[in-house]
Amino acid sequence: MGSALGVRLAAGGAQVFGLRRRPMGLPEGVEPVAADLTDPASLAALPSDLDLVYYAASAGARDPEAARRAYVHGVSGLLEALVRGPGPRRFFFVSSTGVYGQERGEWVDESSPTAPAHPAGLSLLEGERLSLSSPFPATVVRFGGIYGPGRTMLLERVRDGRARWRPGHHTNRIHREDCAGVLHWLASVERPAPIYLGVDDEPALERDVLSWLARQLGAQEPAAAPEEEGSGRARGSKRCRNRRLREAGYRFRYPTFREGYAELLSAPPPARRASPA
């Protein structure tokens, strides 16, 4: 997501910096900054006159401490570093719909209660709080399930017959290019809201998504998950509204999963590297 956003910003003429511990592989037009968000001393490498800052870090692991390092310690350290300079005109924090605890298909929006059941969700909420209470104008975007180039696990599970759906389970998603599009577009909004839900127009039953993909692939119709498996994976069923984003003026490139996955399915497969003899 960060790389896709960087490409957009650079194409518009902006000078773009990409911060990573090991900043190899950044797209053309993004200048590398070698630093560690959890090492305050390394953040001295940051340029001092940043206009916009996008915090789109990944925990890199599933354990609670990794989430806390990424979404709490990292945010805190970066904000402290930014305070030492003139500061950006806006700070964007990339969050997740995982901050919600609803799991019975309820409709949720930006004002709905947040009560995550997992430590990662709690850390994300703390990162949101730190961002919104910082000295800089800040906006939080809670993205749903991200798919797109490089994020095709669901397609592969349907293709090889491993996909299973949970009865009554609702899902929310957004294409990677719309993630970058939302973040890019929000920079041009004069007075953005503090929080936006970043999901497409159609919360969908998991069964409907998997069945549609199977038809496009000519694959076997996915079956329901076994009861014991489904009950263990039933968390997170909710329907997220993107009304605030839509009413503010954002127009989706991929308004539903059908448009996004159709383009992925029509793309040529990536070239395979030759194995050494």
Side-chain angles (χ1 to χ4, degrees):
M1 185 198 310
S3 292
L5 172 62
V7 168
R8 285 173 177 254
L9 291 166
Q15 184 180 20
V16 183
F17 300 92
L19 185 154
R20 285 180 177 172
R21 289 189 297 274
R22 294 175 293 279
M24 297 84 72
L26 289 169
E28 185 176 354
V30 178
E31 301 179 35
V33 174
D36 186 337
L37 288 167
T38 62
D39 177 8
S42 74
L43 297 177
L46 282 172
S48 61
D49 56 348
L50 297 171
D51 182 43
L52 300 169
V53 173
Y54 294 91
Y55 193 98
S58 169
R62 292 183 178 273
D63 62 277
E65 187 51 39
R68 188 154 187 83
R69 284 196 301 269
Y71 307 130
V72 180
H73 301 320
V75 175
S76 178
L78 181 59
L79 290 172
E80 287 179 12
L82 293 172
V83 165
R84 295 194 288 268
R89 66 178 171 88
R90 185 153 295 274
F91 184 91
F92 292 93
F93 179 70
V94 174
S95 187
S96 163
T97 55
V99 299
Y100 297 104
Q102 292 83 344
E103 53 188 48
R104 297 183 179 180
E106 300 98 323
W107 282 98
V108 301
D109 61 17
E110 292 83 357
S111 64
S112 298
T114 51
H118 297 285
L122 293 170
S123 292
L124 280 164
L125 272 181
E126 179 66 7
E128 291 186 7
R129 186 193 67 77
L130 288 167
S131 301
L132 294 172
S133 62
S134 77
F136 316 114
T139 296
V140 168
V141 185
R142 295 170 176 166
F143 286 115
I146 302 169
Y147 70 101
R151 290 175 173 262
T152 58
M153 184 177 67
L154 191 63
L155 277 176
E156 301 310 317
R157 291 179 67 87
V158 173
R159 182 179 279 118
D160 64 21
R162 291 180 296 125
R164 298 289 183 269
W165 50 268
R166 293 157 288 183
H169 188 88
H170 291 87
T171 61
N172 306 269
R173 56 187 46 77
I174 183 169
H175 194 283
R176 186 196 69 179
E177 290 303 315
D178 273 316
C179 292
V182 166
L183 293 170
H184 187 203
W185 171 81
L186 281 171
S188 67
V189 176
E190 186 175 354
R191 292 185 179 85
I195 300 173
Y196 290 92
L197 266 172
V199 294
D200 68 20
D201 290 347
E202 186 179 337
L205 285 169
E206 190 172 49
R207 179 177 186 174
D208 293 344
V209 177
L210 295 180
S211 294
W212 186 89
L213 288 173
R215 290 194 298 273
Q216 309 312 304
L217 290 164
Q220 181 179 353
E221 177 77 13
E227 185 174 348
E228 62 276 12
E229 180 184 341
S231 61
R233 297 169 58 237
R235 292 186 290 266
S237 177
K238 54 189 173 287
R239 289 177 283 180
C240 297
R241 286 192 176 96
N242 65 8
R243 181 181 301 162
R244 177 176 291 178
L245 197 59
R246 277 291 200 182
E247 290 181 349
Y250 183 72
R251 295 295 176 260
F252 281 83
R253 179 174 176 179
Y254 305 102
T256 78
F257 69 89
R258 297 174 189 84
E259 292 86 0
Y261 276 115
E263 184 168 298
L264 282 177
L265 289 166
S266 66
R272 294 181 178 272
R273 292 184 179 179
S275 299

